Amino acid sequence: NAGVTQTPKFQVLKTGQSMTLQCAQDMNHEYMSWYRQDPGMGLRLIHYSVGAGITDQGEVPNGYNVSRSTTEDFPLRLLSAAPSQTSVYFCASSYRTSGTGELFFGEGSRLTVL
Amino acid sequence: AQKVTQAQTEISVVEKEDVTLDCVYETRDTTYYLFWYKQPPSGELVFLIRRNSFDEQNEISGRYSWNFQKSTSSFNFTITASQVVDSAVYFCALSEITGGFKTIFGAGTRLFVKA
């Protein structure tokens, strides 16, 4: 199994540009989420979804959009990139109804905004 | 609201020393899950353990052990006889049932194990 796949792994943007980070999982997980990791800040939740068609905001949602049209995919959109969005982004998924809640992570996407 | 505090930013030990990583959490739920994840220098995030709020039994897995105390809202992680390969950032996390298992992480503790 591929698990959780994120693309691209690296991206450089200019301020004001838009882009989409892709995330796909092949484990039929209901729950998917996006985190950003910054030095000293740990992993902060951006948006999450508990199933297709359902999304909600996390701790730091401003400047990001998400949608969940299928169980497998959960793209993260940066509408107008800012230097403050320079970070490493992780997509994660888990079983929801099983009660486990353990997160399976992608390999991360390093984004630099100039 | 959910909150996880890892007060230790960095810890440095010499190989074979024991080390305890602290985790304190806040939640209003009576049903929740606590986790520890490891992030080695290679950058991937690795699940270590899950504990639910109704199970306060301590757990031991090899050199790793976890101490869950609801009375102090703590879920501490001890590595016995540390090894260089234990060098990593360790994250404690909290997942609440009412949040649909929305998982919130602490800031992490960076552990350096010197040979």
Side-chain angles (χ1 to χ4, degrees):
Chain A
N1 281 345
V4 179
T5 303
Q6 288 181 234
T7 56
K9 287 188 171 41
F10 300 94
Q11 182 73 49
V12 178
L13 290 177
K14 293 181 180 178
T15 297
Q17 288 185 316
S18 62
M19 76 156 298
T20 299
L21 296 175
Q22 302 290 345
C23 177
Q25 53 92 9
D26 61 0
M27 297 173 282
N28 203 31
H29 285 170
E30 293 189 30
Y31 179 92
M32 295 186 74
S33 54
W34 277 101
Y35 292 87
R36 58 178 289 174
Q37 183 176 17
D38 304 292
M41 305 290 287
L43 291 152
R44 291 183 292 169
L45 182 64
I46 304 171
H47 286 285
Y48 66 102
S49 169
V50 298
I54 306 170
T55 63
D56 207 345
Q57 296 181 350
E59 303 169 278
V60 288
N62 293 342
Y64 307 94
N65 272 1
V66 293
S67 59
R68 185 94 179 270
S69 56
T70 67
T71 300
E72 294 77 20
D73 299 301
F74 191 45
L76 178 71
R77 297 182 187 84
L78 282 70
L79 307 174
S80 177
S84 60
Q85 294 178 303
T86 293
S87 188
V88 179
Y89 292 85
F90 286 95
C91 179
S93 69
S94 77
Y95 296 107
R96 176 171 176 252
T97 55
S98 74
T100 298
E102 165 198 346
L103 290 170
F104 294 77
F105 284 90
E107 293 182 340
S109 299
R110 184 175 294 274
L111 174 67
T112 301
V113 182
L114 303 174
Chain B
Q2 295 171 264
K3 186 177 180 182
V4 177
T5 301
Q6 295 180 257
Q8 303 152 308
T9 305
E10 290 186 358
I11 300 175
S12 183
V13 299
V14 176
E15 213 171 15
K16 298 184 183 177
E17 283 186 27
D18 298 347
V19 58
T20 295
L21 309 180
D22 297 332
C23 173
V24 174
Y25 63 92
E26 295 178 27
T27 179
R28 293 177 185 163
D29 277 17
T30 56
T31 303
Y32 53 89
Y33 290 85
L34 294 162
F35 305 83
W36 277 93
Y37 291 84
K38 175 182 179 180
Q39 187 177 42
S42 51
E44 75 271 24
L45 284 146
V46 179
F47 165 77
L48 294 178
I49 189 171
R50 173 191 70 111
R51 174 64 75 225
N52 75 55
S53 53
F54 298 108
D55 182 3
E56 286 193 73
Q57 265 194 322
N58 293 331
E59 181 154 341
I60 298 174
S61 176
R63 296 184 296 105
Y64 295 171
S65 62
W66 291 269
N67 180 262
F68 175 31
Q69 291 193 335
K70 287 178 75 170
S71 61
T72 56
S73 297
S74 65
F75 186 44
N76 296 336
F77 173 29
T78 297
I79 302 175
T80 302
S82 59
Q83 299 176 0
V84 172
V85 293
D86 295 326
S87 296
V89 181
Y90 291 87
F91 292 100
C92 181
L94 167 66
S95 180
E96 294 178 337
I97 292 287
T98 55
F101 295 109
K102 178 176 65 175
T103 304
I104 300 299
F105 285 75
T109 297
R110 183 178 294 276
L111 175 65
F112 295 97
V113 181
K114 296 178 284 189

